[in-house]
Amino acid sequence: MSTQSSRLAARVMVAPSVVLLFIWMAVPLAMTLYYSFRLYRLLSPDRTGWVGFTNYLWFFNSPDFWLALWNTLALVGGVLIITVMLGILIALLIDQPVKGQGMLRILVIAPFFVMPPVAASIWENLFMHPQNGLLAAVARGFGAQPILFLEEYPLLSVIGIVSWEWLPFATLILLTSLQSLSSEQLEAAEMDGASALNRLRHIILPHMTRAITVVILIQTIFLLGIFGEIFTTTQGGPGSASTTLPYMIFKQAIAAKDIGRAAAGGIIAVILANIVAYFLMRGIGRHLDA
Amino acid sequence: MGKITLQHVNKSFGEVAVIPDINLQIEDGEFVVFVGPSGCGKSTLLRLIAGLEDVTAGRIDIDGTDATHLPPARRGLAMVFQSYALYPHMTVRKNIAFPLKMAGLSEEEQEKKVQHAARILNLSNYLDRRPGQLSGGQRQRVAIGRAIVREPAAFLFDEPLSNLDAALRVTMRQEITELHQSLKTTMIYVTHDQVEAMTMADKIVVLNAGNIEQVGSPLDLYHRPANLFVAGFIGSPRMNLIEGAEAARHQAATIGIRPEHLDITEGGPWQGTVGLTEHLGSDTFLKVTLDTGELLTVRANGEVALRHGDRVALAPQQGKIHRFGPDGKALA
Ligand SMILES: Nc1ncnc2c1ncn2[C@@H]1O[C@H](COP(=O)(O)OP(=O)(O)OP(=O)(O)O)[C@@H](O)[C@H]1O
Ligand SMILES: [Mg+2]
């Protein structure tokens, strides 16, 4: 396949799919960009005309925007920290030979198959509910006041729910990586006098860096767009305490019916995602090469 | 110091007794080789000594103290694995220094010992590379380097050369032997390559199905195999074993004669027909089918002009016939 004519043929063959993919990607982005500079409110008759950066400026001047930006990053960061750390811990645990290992692993993976709104409902109504929730019952059992999770700690509660959903994914990837570590390396380290903690630090964790990197990158992509859990539980509130960028865009698009502003928010979100991606790749991307 | 004593050591995996009962004494400074067919328990025995497996019953003493239940790190032994088990994310320097770092030595001391080991093993130019950037032989040397910096009481090698090509194996074999001569530390070496066993060992332990068949110096085993298993296992090509009437004439159930102890002479007592001939240049190995039906291997010199189908007469050399009783044990 390396004569010049065959290479040309190959290019011609793949061209349609490349063109299609390009249109697929570029058209929605271009349209979003277009609307973000337009006045386009569904509720008012004047939906024509260019407005320059007005839509963008509205975001930058809104105090909610900066909170939402911070909330988005806190949500992503918090969930990453929790899922990676707990994921490593659980992977180490279920890698040990125990009875019913297969069943145990299925149980650990199970939360991942629960749809986000369902998971959020379960948490809201069965665990965090101040009257009926399990956590409230536990608190009362200790004679304490039930914690009003969604009212007093809305962002932390959302982080908790999302972490619960994504923990299985992290655990699964980290577990496969752990299982690919040769037992001889661990035995050699043991003979070299490394304690369990030193083995974790010097052998196991370095072996898992690539898997951890993959977990962080993939989860970041999905976590930046988290919406369903917030919609189901806190609705971004109280106030704007748990509003993230995607939720704020949703409020503009659906609640305020301002397509122009929502489009501007979308573009800002795209830019934010790229900034995050840039720093992630600079920070940990090198672990992806062998 | 590295004197190791095994008393009634037993190892079972579940129901299966891989090692039923072993007694063995390894003296300080000895080079001991465990040989035996695949699956006979060589690695298991080595891992028991290392502490990577727990004994089911019995006692292991290292330098006179009971080490049966000591964790591997506290036994003062170093192991070189068949797969090298290098740490892939560390440089060669860090790999070799790892046991020193774990022992809490200062950076300067670590560096000094690493440099020393690297000089002995010709690794000085590779210290900043990672294991993935080294050849098989170099990786093997790094694994040995990681073992020697600890100054262990004994080295344990589990088939360390089996991943190397033939030429490199010969070189590394000599290097390990030289290392043993300069360090004078006890070494226990597992292999199923009998050339390695014969050339390197002070003492060979022949294992079969978890039992020790014979312990002795290489030449001991070659000249005085204690039983049929050792007779067949040590020596290449294998010893010829003859049963039946010819054995009975020597008052034995089986007699053995090594290929190099058969002469091709006119008027020899055993007549036969030449089958396959293998010309190695220095030697020629002839497969001869005797008229009585036995197939014998004969070692002749390189220029022998016999071919397939030629008639030959063979004569065993005086006093080189091994006699074995019906239980397989050698007769005096
Ligand atoms: N963890 C284990 N669980 C169960 N059986 C085992 C285990 N490890 C080894 N065995 C069994 O013990 C026997 C001896 O194994 P071992 O690895 O010691 O053989 P070996 O002499 O080193 O063979 P080789 O030359 O192929 O390396 C084998 O029959 C093997 O199946
Ligand atoms: Mg083995």
Side-chain angles (χ1 to χ4, degrees), chain B residues 13 18 36-45 53 82 158-159 190 192:
Chain B
F13 289 109
V18 173
S38 185
C40 70
K42 305 179 296 285
S43 300
T44 307
L45 188 57
E53 303 276 0
Q82 181 174 0
D158 192 356
E159 307 204 21
V190 167
H192 55 233

Side-chain angles (χ1 to χ4, degrees), chain A residues 184 187 189 191-192 202 206, chain B residues 47 81 83 87-89 102 150:
Chain A
E184 289 201 341
E187 287 174 347
M191 295 214 60
D192 283 344
H202 294 290
Chain B
R47 291 167 57 83
F81 292 83
S83 67
Y87 311 129
H89 53 276
M102 290 300 113
R150 292 179 52 202

Side-chain angles (χ1 to χ4, degrees), chain A residues 71-123:
Chain A
N71 281 347
T72 309
L73 294 177
L75 178 66
V76 172
V79 174
L80 282 180
I81 291 171
I82 292 175
T83 50
V84 169
M85 299 223 305
L86 279 184
I88 292 173
L89 219 69
I90 295 177
L92 285 171
L93 275 179
I94 60 178
D95 192 36
Q96 309 291 322
V98 287
K99 238 192 173 138
Q101 196 169 40
M103 200 60 213
L104 189 70
R105 286 185 187 168
I106 291 174
L107 282 180
V108 170
I109 309 308
F112 202 49
F113 297 111
V114 181
M115 288 160 242
V118 178
S121 294
I122 291 174
W123 274 88

Side-chain angles (χ1 to χ4, degrees), chain B residues 133-204:
Chain B
Q133 301 162 315
L134 298 178
S135 72
Q138 290 163 344
R139 282 181 216 183
Q140 188 59 68
R141 280 201 283 263
V142 176
I144 295 174
R146 197 173 61 185
I148 63 176
V149 287
R150 292 179 52 202
E151 295 167 13
F155 291 95
L156 312 177
F157 295 91
D158 192 356
E159 307 204 21
L161 308 185
S162 57
N163 288 342
L164 304 179
D165 68 49
L168 200 52
R169 213 146 53 199
V170 175
T171 329
M172 286 303 295
R173 195 168 83 202
Q174 289 158 358
E175 284 185 23
I176 293 178
T177 310
E178 272 167 31
L179 195 68
H180 177 243
Q181 267 147 20
S182 64
L183 296 176
K184 300 195 170 49
T185 313
T186 311
M187 291 190 177
I188 305 178
Y189 188 103
V190 167
T191 179
H192 55 233
D193 181 326
Q194 57 162 300
V195 180
E196 280 176 28
M198 295 299 282
T199 52
M200 299 171 89
D202 295 323
K203 183 155 103 186
I204 296 181

Side-chain angles (χ1 to χ4, degrees), chain A residues 46-66:
Chain A
D46 53 336
R47 56 181 70 156
T48 48
W50 297 91
V51 291
F53 282 94
T54 314
N55 286 328
Y56 290 91
L57 287 175
W58 180 83
F59 273 98
F60 293 134
N61 291 327
S62 155
D64 275 4
F65 170 74
W66 300 103

